[in-house]
């Protein structure tokens, strides 16, 4: 075992359970006698280069447990995407503070940051154990059955569409919602778990794993509307045309860009508005409504999967155990065993870093606008216990007298 300090940081978008991973890593680290102090970086890697650290050794266990139950990133986060020069600065700060163990909780970019810092330490001959702890609501980390944060966000999406479907059935029309997912459609696909009866919405689900054609979309909406007298649609923010261009760029006169130069897909609500206008003007349907599930699905308090909470805690704990008892850096991954149980492995950072998982073909229906039963079976255990259910009246109609 190395002797020194532990540093924990959180990166990327917050989730409902990322604090479970942070607290798991902190409490597990405090059990080991070779650990002098446990620090937390305030606002991720930006906090590291600014030497903005919190001493988590002084936190009470009770308060840590309360924080663990609270959504969002308690340490703060960042959207910085470190390059080699940036990672060298990170390494120099870690070395200056005597950090022996570096745990970074995050997604694709975070895993790549850990990989580069690990290489910097190895090249300098500095004893540093670097472990990536998985997190992302997009569920797009390779070699993982699923990633902490996704099940709770999926639970929110499923319940939101369950409610939307009830609303749409009461006041009929067309409703569409844009869900996060630039390259992977897992979160949008979770909307299918809101269905109970065959005519429930969402009636159409559009994922970035399939090409989106506006004309086909309009034809699909019309067919569903004609069949059910209404239509509920779920769309990933990352839907694109045959050339890979985001659909929003085809419909909007101007688009915004995020901090990394990517087209802003769902944060503005523009895609939903534009597609609603297409339906309204080209299909002549008057009652058309749209929403964008932006930050709502990430840290929605009171809608958290207990399975997600438990596993998020365990990946934090396992990261520390792998670091203390092992002799290599790596990324913790979740692997499914049996109908539903999981095991945790430590895989080489280069196997995970910077790679993007997308929804597998066997999860997507042949129509391209729905999911398969295999996906439903995959997702249902992740949503956790206590999922609500929706019921409807039996239509025992009374015979007309005046208007037969």
């Amino acid at each position: 075992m190395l002797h020194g300090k532990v540093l924990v940081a959180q990166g990327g978008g917050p989730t409902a359970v990322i604090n479970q991973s942070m607290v798991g890593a902190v409490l597990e680290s405090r059990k080991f006698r070779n650990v002098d102090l446990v620090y937390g970086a305030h606002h991720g890697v930006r906090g590291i280069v600014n030497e903005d650290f919190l001493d988590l050794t002084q936190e009470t266990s009770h308060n840590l447990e309360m924080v663990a139950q609270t959504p969002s990133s308690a340490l703060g986060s960042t959207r910085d995407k470190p390059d080699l020069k940036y990672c060298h600065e990170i390494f120099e700060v870690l070395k200056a503070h005597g950090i022996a163990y570096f745990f970074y909780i995050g997604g694709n970019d975070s895993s790549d940051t850990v990989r580069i810092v690990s290489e910097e330490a190895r090249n300098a001959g500095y004893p540093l154990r670097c472990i990536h702890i998985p997190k992302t609501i997009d569920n797009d980390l390779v070699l993982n059955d699923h990633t902490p944060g996704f099940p709770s966000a999926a639970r929110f999406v499923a319940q939101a569409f369950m409610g939307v479907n009830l609303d749409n059935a009461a006041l009929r029309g067309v409703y569409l919602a844009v869900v996060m997912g630039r390259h992977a459609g897992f979160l949008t696909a979770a909307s299918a778990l809101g269905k109970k009866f065959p005519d429930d919405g969402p009636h159409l689900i559009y994922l970035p794993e399939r090409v989106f054609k506006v004309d086909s979309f309009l034809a699909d909406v019309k067919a569903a509307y004609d069949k059910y007298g209404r239509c509920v649609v779920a769309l990933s923010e990352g839907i694109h045309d045959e050339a890979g261009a985001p659909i929003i760029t085809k419909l909007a006169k101007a688009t915004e860009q995020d901090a990394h130069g990517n087209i802003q897909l769902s944060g503005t609500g523009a895609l939903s508005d534009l597609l609603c206008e297409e339906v309204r003007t080209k299909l002549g349907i008057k009652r058309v409504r749209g929403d964008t599930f932006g930050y709502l699905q990430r840290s929605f308090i009171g809608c958290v999967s207990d399975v997600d909470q438990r596993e998020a805690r365990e990946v934090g704990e396992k990261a520390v155990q792998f670091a203390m008892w092992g002799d290599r850096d790596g990324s913790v991954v979740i692997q499914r065993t049996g109908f539903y149980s999981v095991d945790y492995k430590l895989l080489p950072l280069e196997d995970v870093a910077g790679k993007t998982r997308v929804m597998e073909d066997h999860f997507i229906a042949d129509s391209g606008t729905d999911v398969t039963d295999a996906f439903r079976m995959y997702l249902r255990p992740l949503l956790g216990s206590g999922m609500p259910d929706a019921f409807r009246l039996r239509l025992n109609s009374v015979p007309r007298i005046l208007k037969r």
Side-chain angles (χ1 to χ4, degrees):
M1 291 184 184
L2 303 177
H3 189 102
K5 300 170 187 172
V6 164
L7 177 65
V8 182
Q10 298 171 317
T15 80
V17 298
I18 189 173
N19 289 334
Q20 290 281 1
S21 298
M22 182 269 290
V23 170
V26 171
L27 291 179
E28 192 71 10
S29 295
R30 297 199 318 194
K31 296 177 183 177
F32 288 86
R33 296 178 64 183
N34 59 307
V35 172
D36 295 330
L37 294 167
V38 180
Y39 291 167
H42 204 202
H43 294 290
V45 290
R46 173 57 54 184
I48 298 177
V49 296
N50 289 338
E51 297 185 70
D52 187 1
F53 294 158
L54 304 176
D55 186 355
L56 300 180
T57 322
Q58 298 184 43
E59 273 288 357
T60 65
S61 297
H62 174 75
N63 193 51
L64 285 170
E65 291 293 355
M66 294 301 98
V67 169
Q69 297 288 332
T70 305
S72 193
S73 301
L75 285 172
S77 191
T78 179
R79 282 296 188 189
D80 285 7
K81 189 174 181 179
D83 55 14
L84 182 59
K85 180 177 180 297
Y86 196 127
C87 287
H88 182 73
E89 290 184 60
I90 293 172
F91 168 65
E92 289 298 324
V93 172
L94 299 183
K95 186 169 62 170
H97 283 267
I99 304 299
Y101 297 94
F102 174 40
F103 300 103
Y104 198 19
I105 311 165
N108 309 72
D109 293 339
S110 300
S111 61
D112 205 38
T113 297
V114 177
R115 179 189 64 81
I116 299 173
V117 171
S118 172
E119 291 177 355
E120 286 287 296
R122 188 163 55 250
N123 293 337
Y126 178 78
L128 176 68
R129 183 67 64 237
C130 299
I131 305 290
H132 166 243
I133 301 174
K135 173 252 26 162
T136 171
I137 67 166
D138 291 330
N139 203 37
D140 61 353
L141 281 176
V142 299
L143 303 178
N144 282 270
D145 177 79
H146 57 278
T147 46
F150 165 68
S152 293
R155 183 183 174 105
F156 172 86
V157 170
Q159 292 185 193
F161 272 91
M162 191 182 298
V164 160
N165 174 67
L166 295 170
D167 192 290
N168 183 259
L171 288 171
R172 297 188 161 206
V174 173
Y175 172 89
L176 61 88
V178 175
V179 182
M180 280 186 173
R182 183 177 292 268
H183 301 295
F186 288 100
L187 205 51
T188 304
S191 62
L193 275 291
K195 297 180 64 139
K196 178 175 182 179
F197 298 99
D199 58 341
D200 280 344
H203 304 102
L204 300 167
I205 300 173
Y206 295 94
L207 309 170
E209 287 81 0
R210 296 291 182 265
V211 169
F212 184 91
K213 298 178 181 179
V214 176
D215 289 344
S216 297
F217 160 73
L218 292 171
D220 293 340
V221 171
K222 184 179 186 306
Y225 190 81
D226 289 346
K227 181 176 181 179
Y228 301 113
R230 64 192 187 94
C231 183
V232 176
V233 187
L235 307 103
S236 287
E237 63 180 5
I239 53 173
H240 57 82
D241 64 12
E242 299 94 327
I247 292 301
I248 192 171
T249 64
K250 312 283 286 186
L251 299 174
K253 294 180 180 179
T255 56
E256 298 181 22
Q257 293 184 332
D258 63 19
H260 298 308
N262 299 314
I263 298 296
Q264 192 74 40
L265 297 178
S266 68
T268 63
L271 180 59
S272 173
D273 292 344
L274 291 165
L275 288 173
C276 281
E277 188 60 24
E278 289 286 307
V279 171
R280 197 176 288 113
T281 57
K282 295 184 178 178
L283 296 183
I285 300 173
K286 293 183 179 180
R287 186 175 175 78
V288 184
R289 301 290 186 269
D291 280 320
T292 298
F293 294 1
Y295 289 171
L296 284 175
Q297 63 214 312
R298 291 206 310 213
S299 301
F300 196 87
I301 199 164
C303 185
V304 182
S305 163
D306 52 356
V307 172
D308 199 18
Q309 286 183 315
R310 182 179 68 248
E311 293 176 354
R313 171 65 71 96
E314 289 176 345
V315 292
E317 293 172 345
K318 291 302 295 184
V320 174
Q321 293 169 10
F322 284 133
M324 298 297 174
W325 299 330
D327 59 354
R328 60 190 175 95
D329 299 346
S331 178
V332 180
V333 301
I334 299 177
Q335 297 181 345
R336 187 178 304 215
T337 60
F339 172 70
Y340 194 71
S341 58
V342 296
D343 195 9
Y344 305 100
K345 304 291 184 184
L346 187 69
L347 297 185
L349 287 163
E350 57 269 22
D351 289 356
V352 177
K355 299 178 174 64
T356 301
R357 175 193 181 187
V358 297
M359 270 187 71
E360 292 80 3
D361 286 341
H362 72 279
F363 284 158
I364 305 173
D366 292 340
S367 65
T369 59
D370 200 357
V371 300
T372 63
D373 287 341
F375 177 76
R376 293 182 178 90
M377 292 291 289
Y378 161 80
L379 180 57
R380 182 59 191 87
L382 305 183
L383 300 182
S385 59
M387 276 289 288
D389 208 350
F391 294 86
R392 58 173 66 174
L393 294 171
R394 296 179 177 88
L395 300 180
N396 298 312
S397 299
V398 177
R400 293 185 178 92
I401 294 176
L402 298 179
K403 297 182 179 180
R404 296 183 180 178

